[in-house]
Amino acid sequence: MIHQESECLFCRIVRGEIPAKIVYRNDHVLAFRDITPVAPHHVLIIPLRHIASLSDLSPEDEAVAAQILLAAGTVAGILGFKESGYRLVFNSGPDAMQSVFHIHGHLLGGTQMGWPPFPGAATKHG
Ligand code: DGP
């Protein structure tokens, strides 16, 4: 696991050191296509500034957190599935299988999805 900003894969994409299929960028966030898509449209929305995971968000990050959510609707509009629907998923930590430690929302669209999103979804805690 790489947590340092200089080595962070997604920071390198932000800096243009690693190519990516960018679909949207503003002063706060970048959205680019996931390299291993699990839906017809699978876009990662990341803050330009390095923040490792949802658990590392602090109150000072309120604006950038909101920008990620706002970008989801914007990108859904750009890609044409704002009306048909989409899902925004954040994996945080080992149980959720987070593999890149720079916050990213997986924006999934372009298909009918199921719920719950994973097998064996028995409720343990109500
Ligand atoms: P997660 O497991 O939630 O940390 O998701 C990380 C995602 O990042 C995973 O779906 C694959 C994607 N990914 C990993 N390396 C690259 C890359 O170099 N380019 C792009 N576009 N996506 C990547």
Side-chain angles (χ1 to χ4, degrees):
M1 288 180 219
I2 294 169
H3 294 265
Q4 278 140 0
E5 192 171 339
S6 59
E7 297 299 321
C8 169
L9 176 64
F10 288 175
C11 285
R12 296 190 69 197
I13 288 176
V14 168
R15 294 196 296 265
E17 296 168 8
I18 293 176
K21 292 180 182 168
I22 292 170
V23 294
Y24 177 71
R25 183 179 187 133
N26 67 19
D27 290 343
H28 310 279
V29 300
L30 179 70
F32 54 95
R33 292 196 181 272
D34 193 293
I35 206 166
T36 52
V38 299
H41 290 290
H42 184 170
V43 171
L44 301 175
I45 303 174
I46 70 170
L48 299 185
R49 183 160 56 81
H50 183 83
I51 305 169
S53 78
L54 284 186
S55 301
D56 296 296
L57 279 173
S58 65
E60 297 84 67
D61 300 319
E62 184 180 333
V64 76
Q67 286 287 336
I68 295 170
L69 297 183
L70 286 168
T74 300
V75 173
I78 290 168
L79 297 179
F81 53 83
K82 192 168 184 172
E83 301 306 323
S84 54
Y86 53 93
R87 189 169 286 168
L88 185 63
V89 176
F90 292 85
N91 294 325
S92 187
D95 273 5
M97 299 191 74
Q98 182 179 5
S99 63
V100 178
F101 287 82
H102 180 133
I103 291 180
H104 48 283
H106 295 256
L107 179 66
L108 306 167
T111 189
Q112 175 66 59
M113 293 172 234
W115 191 265
F118 49 87
T123 54
K124 214 162 80 176
H125 304 290

